Amino acid sequence: MTDQATHVHDGYDIYGADFAKDPHTVWEAMRRGGCPVAHSQLGGGSWMVTKYNDIRDITQDPAHYSSRAVEVAGPVPAMGRELFMPPLTSNPEDHKAHRDLLAPYFTPDRVAQLEPFVHEEAQRLAQAIAERGHGDAVSDFAMPLALAVITKILKVPADARDRFVDWVVRLIRLGPLDQAVRSAVIQEKLQYLEQLLEERTRNPGDDIISYLGHATLDGQPLSRKHKLGSLFLLVLAGADTTWSAIGASLWHLASHPKDRATLLADPGIMRTTAIEELLRAYAPVSIARLASEEVELHGRCIAAQERVILPLAAANRDPEVFEDPDVVKLDRKRNRHLTFSSGPHRCLGSNVARLELRIALEEWLRVMPNFHLTDPDGVEWSTGQTRGPEHVHIGVDQ
C-alpha cells in the first residue's frame, strides 16, 4: 500500500455550505486536483469517491465493499448492530433471495397499474397550485405526490403521510448528526410498522404488507426482523428520494425556460430521453459502503470497516463519461447514468420512480405550461444522504 499523503480536498463536510450550494463543483475540483478519493474525519469518518468508473465498480463488488450499513454519516456500526433493511443491507449470499421476495411488486406490469392513480393525484395537486397562482413545487406538489404513491402501495391511510414526512426528515436529515434523534425515529417507525403487520396478519389483503406477513423463505416464515426491515426500507426509499428528484426537475424547468419550451413542443421525448437526462443531472442519492478488508484505491489506503461514500450524482457528472456533463440536454442519447446505482443492489423501485417523475412533469406542464421562480436566489438544497431543493416557490404565468 502507498503512504497516505496530505490532499487539499481532504476534510470535506457533506453537510457543509459548499456541498449544500454546489457539490458538483466540489467533486469536479477533486477530480481535477488529482484527488478522486478524498478522506474526512467529519460525520464519523469516511472516504469519498468521485469518478464514474470507481463508483460503478464499487457498487458491483459486494465482496470487497459491504452494504450492511449504507448511511453516509454517523458512527460506523459494529457488526450485527446495523439497521437491517433487506434486501438493501443483505449479505451477498442472501441478497438475491431477499430481493426476489419483493420483486413481484415492482415489475413493469405491476407498476403500470399505478399510472391512473398517479395521474389523478398529480393533476389534483397541480390544479390547486394553478388556481392559487402560486405555490411550492416541493411541499405542495412533489412531497404529497410521492407520499400518496407510498401509501397507495402499502395501502395505509392517507393520514400516515405527515408521519412519514416527519420520520424521513428526522432520520435522513437530522439522524446522522444526532444519534438520539435517529434512535427515537427508528423505534417509532418500527412500532408503527409492527402494528400494521399484526393487523394485516389477522385481516390480510392483496397489499405488500399482507404479503410480507405471510411470506416464506426456504420454506420457513420470514422472521419478524426481516418483515419489519423490508417495510422500513420501503417507506424510506420511496419518499425523500422521489420528491427530491421531482422538485429538482421542476426547479430546472422553472429556471430554464428553453428546456420547458422543448418539452411543451415535443412531449414525446418525456418517455424517451428527457426523464433519463433529468435523472442523470439531478441524481438525489449518495450511498455508502464499508470496506470488507483493506483496499487501495488511487493510491489511498482504505482500512477494513471504513466508510466509503458513493455520490451517484458525481458519477453522472464525470466528464470522462458524459459530454458536457453539467449541461442538461433533454435529447441526450448516450446516457448510462448511475442514478439508480448499479450491480446487485440497483434500486428495486426504479420503475416507480420513473413513472412518478414522468407523470409529475406531464401533469404539471399540462396544467401550468408557464411558470417562474418567485425567489431564484432563495432556493436551498438539502445535504447528506439525499440532495434536493427544500422549497421551490413558483408563480404561475397566465
Side-chain angles (χ1 to χ4, degrees):
M1 297 287 181
T2 56
D3 293 334
Q4 304 287 29
T6 299
H7 289 257
V8 68
H9 297 291
D10 282 354
Y12 55 79
D13 180 3
I14 60 173
Y15 288 90
D18 288 345
F19 269 89
K21 182 180 180 181
D22 183 9
H24 304 291
T25 297
V26 179
W27 293 322
E28 180 55 20
M30 289 179 180
R31 288 189 290 257
R32 282 202 321 269
C35 185
V37 181
H39 182 261
S40 178
Q41 297 287 0
L42 300 174
S46 63
W47 297 87
M48 180 173 287
V49 182
T50 60
K51 294 178 71 66
Y52 179 100
N53 288 339
D54 295 329
I55 291 173
R56 179 202 59 204
D57 291 349
I58 289 172
T59 62
Q60 296 179 1
D61 186 6
H64 294 96
Y65 297 93
S66 168
S67 64
R68 71 175 181 86
V70 297
E71 293 164 289
V72 298
V76 175
M79 198 74 70
R81 301 290 296 174
E82 60 274 343
L83 185 59
F84 183 54
M85 297 184 290
L88 181 62
T89 60
S90 301
N91 295 324
E93 59 269 25
D94 298 325
H95 175 263
K96 185 179 187 303
H98 292 177
R99 185 182 177 98
D100 287 349
L101 277 172
L102 299 178
Y105 281 82
F106 296 95
T107 62
D109 287 345
R110 187 77 177 231
V111 170
Q113 295 174 19
L114 290 169
E115 186 153 351
F117 173 79
V118 181
H119 272 292
E120 181 180 340
E121 285 294 303
Q123 180 182 358
R124 181 181 63 82
L125 293 166
Q127 194 64 51
I129 295 173
E131 289 173 359
R132 289 197 308 271
H134 61 86
D136 182 350
V138 177
S139 63
D140 295 336
F141 183 77
M143 188 180 291
L145 179 60
L147 293 167
V149 174
I150 293 172
T151 54
K152 175 74 171 178
I153 291 173
L154 297 176
K155 292 194 176 177
V156 297
D159 60 12
R161 296 174 191 178
D162 289 344
R163 190 191 309 242
F164 287 3
V165 172
D166 174 61
W167 285 339
V168 168
V169 170
R170 285 195 289 144
L171 185 64
I172 300 297
R173 309 287 177 85
L174 306 177
L177 304 178
D178 189 330
Q179 291 300 293
V181 169
R182 177 181 181 273
S183 296
V185 176
I186 290 172
Q187 291 307 311
E188 290 173 28
K189 191 172 174 183
L190 289 176
Q191 288 173 9
Y192 176 82
L193 294 174
E194 187 151 40
Q195 290 176 354
L196 288 178
L197 270 171
E198 290 175 357
E199 292 170 5
R200 304 293 167 86
T201 300
R202 293 192 303 267
N203 301 294
D206 62 352
D207 56 277
I208 197 168
I209 300 176
S210 300
Y211 165 75
L212 283 171
H214 295 85
T216 60
L217 188 63
D218 295 330
Q220 297 297 317
L222 291 183
S223 68
R224 169 185 173 275
K225 182 179 179 181
H226 191 129
K227 296 172 188 177
L228 290 174
S230 289
L231 288 175
F232 195 104
L233 172 62
L234 290 174
V235 173
L236 191 65
D240 195 13
T241 55
T242 306
W243 82 56
S244 293
I246 295 171
S249 296
L250 288 171
W251 170 84
H252 178 87
L253 295 178
S255 52
H256 295 77
K258 288 185 178 179
D259 283 345
R260 188 168 72 244
T262 296
L263 289 178
L264 292 170
D266 186 8
I269 66 169
M270 198 85 80
R271 292 175 177 265
T272 54
T273 58
I275 292 300
E276 297 306 314
E277 177 65 350
L278 290 168
L279 286 168
R280 179 196 70 83
Y282 299 107
V285 180
S286 291
I287 57 177
R289 295 289 185 264
L290 300 181
S292 299
E293 59 188 46
E294 187 178 88
V295 294
E296 184 178 4
L297 193 60
H298 293 287
R300 312 217 65 181
C301 181
I302 302 172
Q305 301 309 310
E306 287 192 312
R307 175 185 285 121
V308 181
I309 298 178
L310 309 176
L312 302 177
N316 291 351
R317 300 285 187 106
D318 188 339
E320 293 184 7
V321 178
F322 297 95
E323 182 181 0
D324 297 328
D326 295 323
V327 179
V328 172
K329 300 179 179 181
L330 296 178
D331 61 349
R332 188 183 293 269
K333 300 295 189 297
R334 184 174 173 81
N335 194 347
R336 297 174 294 133
H337 65 73
L338 295 183
T339 297
F340 297 115
S341 190
S342 184
H345 289 281
R346 189 179 184 279
C347 176
L348 184 62
S350 60
N351 290 326
V352 180
R354 284 188 168 99
L355 180 80
E356 287 186 59
L357 179 56
R358 172 178 62 80
I359 294 176
L361 299 187
E362 287 174 348
E363 290 295 343
W364 180 286
L365 290 173
R366 189 182 63 78
V367 174
M368 288 175 286
N370 297 302
F371 55 98
H372 64 276
L373 297 175
T374 58
D375 184 15
D377 298 326
V379 178
E380 297 181 356
W381 295 69
S382 59
T383 55
Q385 195 101 37
T386 308
R387 183 173 193 265
E390 299 279 18
H391 299 281
V392 179
H393 295 291
I394 61 98
V396 182
D397 302 324
Q398 300 302 321

